[in-house]
């Protein structure tokens, strides 16, 4: 498992720079039609009514998993999000017409760009994981927080 609860790094390091670039890409991309209700990070859906005021849809841990870009959730088969309600039925003829022409081509190109894979961590980037006796927690289970405290000691 991974945790973003505590990270320390030098400014501009390859790991943090890549992770942040991948998060920004996921949060600002245009998702395909209907993908807002899927297991996919989506803040902007293609052909959504403007202005789209829905809060971003971020499935559990999808941004956290980008710490290992090879495990980008977008590389997996897209599944419906079980926490989302989905509308039934198709679009109208007017909606179909709005999906043609130069503006629609730009939107579809943005969707294609939004589906590109996450950037890889640069070669030579060094990561250290401090756990167990090397960790920063005073005790393995954090039980120090439940022990009596006396300001005089």
């Amino acid at each position: 498992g991974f945790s973003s609860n505590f990270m320390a790094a030098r400014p501009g390091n390859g790991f943090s720079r890549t992770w942040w670039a991948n998060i920004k890409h996921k949060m600002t991309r245009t998702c395909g039609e209907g993908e807002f209700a899927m297991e996919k990070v989506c803040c902007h859906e293609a052909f959504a009514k403007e202005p789209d005021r829905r809060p971003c849809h971020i499935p559990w841990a999808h941004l956290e998993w980008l710490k290992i870009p090879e495990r980008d959730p977008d590389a997996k088969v897209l599944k419906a999000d079980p926490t989302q309600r989905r509308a039934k039925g198709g679009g109208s003829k007017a909606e179909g017409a709005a999906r043609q022409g130069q503006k629609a081509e730009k939107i579809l190109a943005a969707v294609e760009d939004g589906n590109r894979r996450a950037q890889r961590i640069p070669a030579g980037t060094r990561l250290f994981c401090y756990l167990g006796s090397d960790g920063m927690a005073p005790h393995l289970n954090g039980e120090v927080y439940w022990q009596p405290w006396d300001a005089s000691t």
Side-chain angles (χ1 to χ4, degrees), residues 26-100:
K26 302 291 184 187
M27 300 288 290
T28 59
R29 70 180 171 185
T30 300
C31 298
E33 268 187 292
E35 290 183 342
F36 208 92
M38 305 302 278
E39 284 283 325
K40 182 175 186 172
V41 174
C42 189
C43 295
H44 314 282
E45 187 175 24
F47 306 108
K49 292 179 182 176
E50 294 290 335
D52 190 355
R53 299 198 187 281
R54 296 177 289 184
C56 291
H57 173 64
I58 304 172
W60 184 85
H62 273 51
L63 298 177
E64 187 82 10
W65 294 338
L66 286 174
K67 288 179 182 175
I68 300 179
E70 293 79 10
R71 293 190 180 166
D72 180 359
D74 286 357
K76 297 178 182 176
V77 175
L78 199 58
K79 296 180 183 176
D81 185 339
T83 66
Q84 295 283 316
R85 294 183 182 175
R86 284 168 278 292
K88 305 253 191 236
S92 68
K93 288 183 182 179
E95 287 176 345
R99 288 155 181 72
Q100 297 176 359

Side-chain angles (χ1 to χ4, degrees), residues 77-121:
V77 175
L78 199 58
K79 296 180 183 176
D81 185 339
T83 66
Q84 295 283 316
R85 294 183 182 175
R86 284 168 278 292
K88 305 253 191 236
S92 68
K93 288 183 182 179
E95 287 176 345
R99 288 155 181 72
Q100 297 176 359
Q102 192 173 12
K103 184 177 179 182
E105 287 176 19
K106 286 177 92 174
I107 292 171
L108 294 172
V111 170
E112 187 176 338
D113 179 60
N115 287 329
R116 69 181 146 89
R117 296 291 175 236
Q119 294 178 25
R120 301 294 186 237
I121 296 171

